[in-house]
Amino acid sequence: MYLKSIMSSPIIEKQVLSQNSGSAMNFFGIGDTSKFKLPIPPLPEQQKIASFLTAVDTKIQQLTQKQALLTDYKKGVMQQLFSQQLRFQDENGQEFPAWEETQLSQLMSIPKKMQPAEIDSNKLLTVKLHLKGVLKNNNTESLTLGATNYFVRKKGQFIFGKQNLFNGAFSIIPDEFDGFLSSGDIPVLDINPGKMNPSFFLFYLSRESYYKKLESIASGSGSKRIHESTFLGILIDLPSLPEQTKIASFLTAIDDKIALVTKQLHHAQQFKKGLLQQLFV
DNA sequence: TCGTTGGACACTTGCTCTAA
DNA sequence: TTAGAGCAAGTGTCCAACGA
């Protein structure tokens, strides 16, 4: 069946759509499709397909909204938590001790530099900007291995890009990257877990308004860098370890929820894509 | 010798312009 | 209107020179 036999110009089509919602017209999107020849299912089947796709679209819309709401919620809660407007209480309903201004050098240290016996190009790390974390570097073909010194990094270490720390290039090395390598421009620091919860520290630092300010401590006239020793001189407001743990658990739970909704949204989008392909092939 | 530094480089991403 | 080309800016290191 030629589309022009059931559709006219877009303007008329719109009128027909609004007047005859039960006609064959509401099955198609807007556009000049009169030159195409397509198989047209019977009207009841068109209605079933259209209503099913509308339901999928509604679900995608709901998940998108939910994702945005959760992201905004996390941002607001973080602002309140780290400005201490919002405080947790201990198991007995008592206030936690007051936060103390502490220098990072009391909580973290520069580890001994260990060079690998050989440089494995499949074990090089890269730290992405804007809180995208640490990843395996897959772009190593152009590297002249041996020209740059690499050092062995361990899981749980804080890793950052010296030149991009203030652009959100930092993370905690996950288990799967234990023993991987990075250059001196991507250094690591050991966190003393008896004094600071690594997840808490990552959340503390991951406020854009906070890490952007760190540009002021970068040195160098060409490429501005923040050295390990300079970074360790930073003062942070530190709660007690149990409160750090509570804050970290709470924010991690929100992150998990956001990740779940993002996954559901991706699945819904993929489902719709696959469905459209199968329906209209 | 080793750490720091300035600048170079390769690649990616995003924007603008142009031609079909 | 849209696809593709060209360009600029951003990104993530790399590398050689320099100084302690």
Side-chain angles (χ1 to χ4, degrees):
Chain A
M1 187 184 290
Y2 280 103
L3 289 179
K4 63 182 175 185
S5 66
I6 54 169
M7 300 173 90
S8 50
S9 74
I11 295 168
I12 299 169
E13 174 189 291
K14 228 176 180 179
Q15 290 168 351
V16 174
L17 270 172
S18 60
Q19 288 162 13
N20 304 311
S21 58
S23 77
M25 302 303 300
N26 68 345
F27 187 66
F28 296 98
I30 305 299
D32 181 12
T33 50
S34 60
K35 288 175 188 161
F36 301 110
K37 189 177 181 182
L38 294 169
I40 306 297
L43 191 58
E45 192 180 349
Q46 291 176 33
Q47 286 167 334
K48 276 210 164 188
I49 292 170
S51 85
F52 188 67
L53 285 173
T54 304
V56 175
D57 272 344
T58 306
K59 184 69 185 169
I60 289 173
Q61 205 177 352
Q62 284 172 345
L63 286 168
T64 307
Q65 273 179 349
K66 199 171 177 182
Q67 188 189 39
L69 280 170
L70 279 167
T71 306
D72 282 349
Y73 174 69
K74 184 190 165 192
K75 206 174 166 183
V77 164
M78 278 178 74
Q79 198 175 353
Q80 288 188 309
L81 282 172
F82 292 118
S83 65
Q84 300 176 58
Q85 288 174 328
L86 186 65
R87 295 285 306 271
F88 282 102
Q89 292 178 331
D90 65 19
E91 286 72 22
N92 304 318
Q94 301 296 311
E95 294 270 323
F96 281 110
W99 293 25
E100 283 182 24
E101 196 175 61
T102 312
Q103 197 171 47
L104 285 181
S105 60
Q106 293 177 38
L107 312 165
M108 308 172 90
S109 58
I110 301 171
K112 194 182 171 195
K113 291 191 172 174
M114 279 198 307
Q115 286 194 290
E118 61 172 312
I119 300 165
D120 182 351
S121 62
N122 291 314
K123 280 193 156 189
L124 299 184
L125 293 173
T126 183
V127 184
K128 295 283 180 186
L129 275 68
H130 312 305
L131 311 177
K132 289 179 187 165
V134 59
L135 299 171
K136 179 179 167 291
N137 190 347
N138 290 316
N139 192 19
T140 56
E141 285 105 26
S142 61
L143 304 185
T144 312
L145 295 180
T148 299
N149 289 326
Y150 289 93
F151 303 96
V152 181
R153 310 309 189 191
K154 291 179 183 170
K155 64 180 180 182
Q157 287 179 322
F158 175 75
I159 187 167
F160 66 99
K162 272 186 183 176
Q163 292 166 83
N164 288 306
L165 175 67
F166 46 83
N167 285 322
F170 53 83
S171 188
I172 302 288
I173 298 178
D175 293 0
E176 67 261 35
F177 294 144
D178 187 39
F180 274 55
L181 315 172
S182 69
S183 74
D185 269 343
I186 308 169
V188 293
L189 294 168
D190 283 333
I191 299 175
N192 183 341
K195 291 184 176 176
M196 185 164 70
N197 182 308
S199 298
F200 168 83
F201 180 59
L202 209 56
F203 283 122
Y204 187 96
L205 205 61
S206 65
R207 290 167 293 157
E208 192 179 349
S209 59
Y210 185 83
Y211 67 70
K212 286 276 178 195
K213 281 185 201 160
L214 298 179
E215 187 171 2
S216 62
I217 61 165
S219 58
S221 59
S223 305
K224 284 192 163 187
R225 289 177 168 88
I226 297 173
H227 297 288
E228 297 100 307
S229 52
T230 312
F231 185 72
L232 290 176
I234 294 172
L235 293 167
I236 67 165
D237 287 322
L238 193 71
S240 65
L241 199 54
E243 190 174 359
Q244 290 177 39
T245 307
K246 279 218 167 193
I247 291 171
S249 306
F250 182 69
L251 293 173
T252 302
I254 300 175
D255 270 350
D256 289 346
K257 187 69 187 167
I258 292 172
L260 179 67
V261 172
T262 305
K263 198 174 166 185
Q264 287 173 337
L265 179 61
H266 179 72
H267 282 162
Q269 285 166 335
Q270 290 300 110
F271 176 69
K272 186 190 170 186
K273 200 174 161 187
L275 202 62
L276 286 169
Q277 275 176 350
Q278 288 180 45
L279 282 169
F280 300 122
V281 161

